[in-house]
Amino acid sequence: MADGDEPTVHHPRRRLGRSALPHLLAMVIFGLLAWSGGSTLRQGVDGLAAPSLMIGAAGAVGALLMVASPSAPANRSGPAPHRLVRLAMVLAAATALVTGTALAPNGMDRGFVISVDAVLAGALASYALLAGEPRRPARLPG
């Protein structure tokens, strides 16, 4: 194939542009949530602290991986890295909600703690589902 019949392979370079800005903002917000959960863990509010820590850490790491990882696999044989990150964030949200429900105190505060945990888990799941690259319509030949 020295005669020029070799197909050219284009390797696009990843630039940190405007599309990375929402992910970086999410990383800061989820990082603050993890920090808040970690600091309240010692105060005996485990029903709020543990899920906040889990959701914050999963969101911050997930947002970092969305910025740092390529959007499509190089060999197209496995799932896209972004899809795996998004799936892990949804699983972390569900796990945090179950943990928060199990650790919620008895009494009149139980409903409040569970609802706050549900809102935080919903925020992480929403980010995970909406954070992927926008789908582009298939181009018609011609």
Side-chain angles (χ1 to χ4, degrees), residues 12-20 67:
R13 299 180 113 188
R14 269 185 70 85
R15 291 187 323 188
L16 209 57
R18 287 189 316 170
S19 65
V67 171

Side-chain angles (χ1 to χ4, degrees), residues 38-142:
S39 67
T40 58
L41 199 56
R42 297 181 298 261
Q43 297 174 357
V45 194
D46 295 341
L48 287 174
S52 295
L53 183 61
M54 293 168 66
I55 290 169
V61 170
L64 177 67
L65 290 175
M66 294 294 275
V67 171
S69 67
S71 60
N75 60 4
R76 297 265 186 219
S77 65
H82 284 189
R83 181 174 284 173
L84 293 175
V85 170
R86 291 166 57 196
L87 178 64
M89 284 193 287
V90 170
L91 290 175
T95 303
L97 182 58
V98 169
T99 302
T101 302
L103 294 175
N106 293 327
M108 66 183 207
D109 292 337
R110 183 171 179 81
F112 173 74
V113 169
I114 292 172
S115 64
V116 169
D117 293 339
V119 167
L120 293 176
L124 178 61
S126 297
Y127 172 70
L129 295 175
L130 298 174
E133 301 218 358
R135 300 191 128 218
R136 294 185 179 103
R139 298 184 90 191
L140 297 175

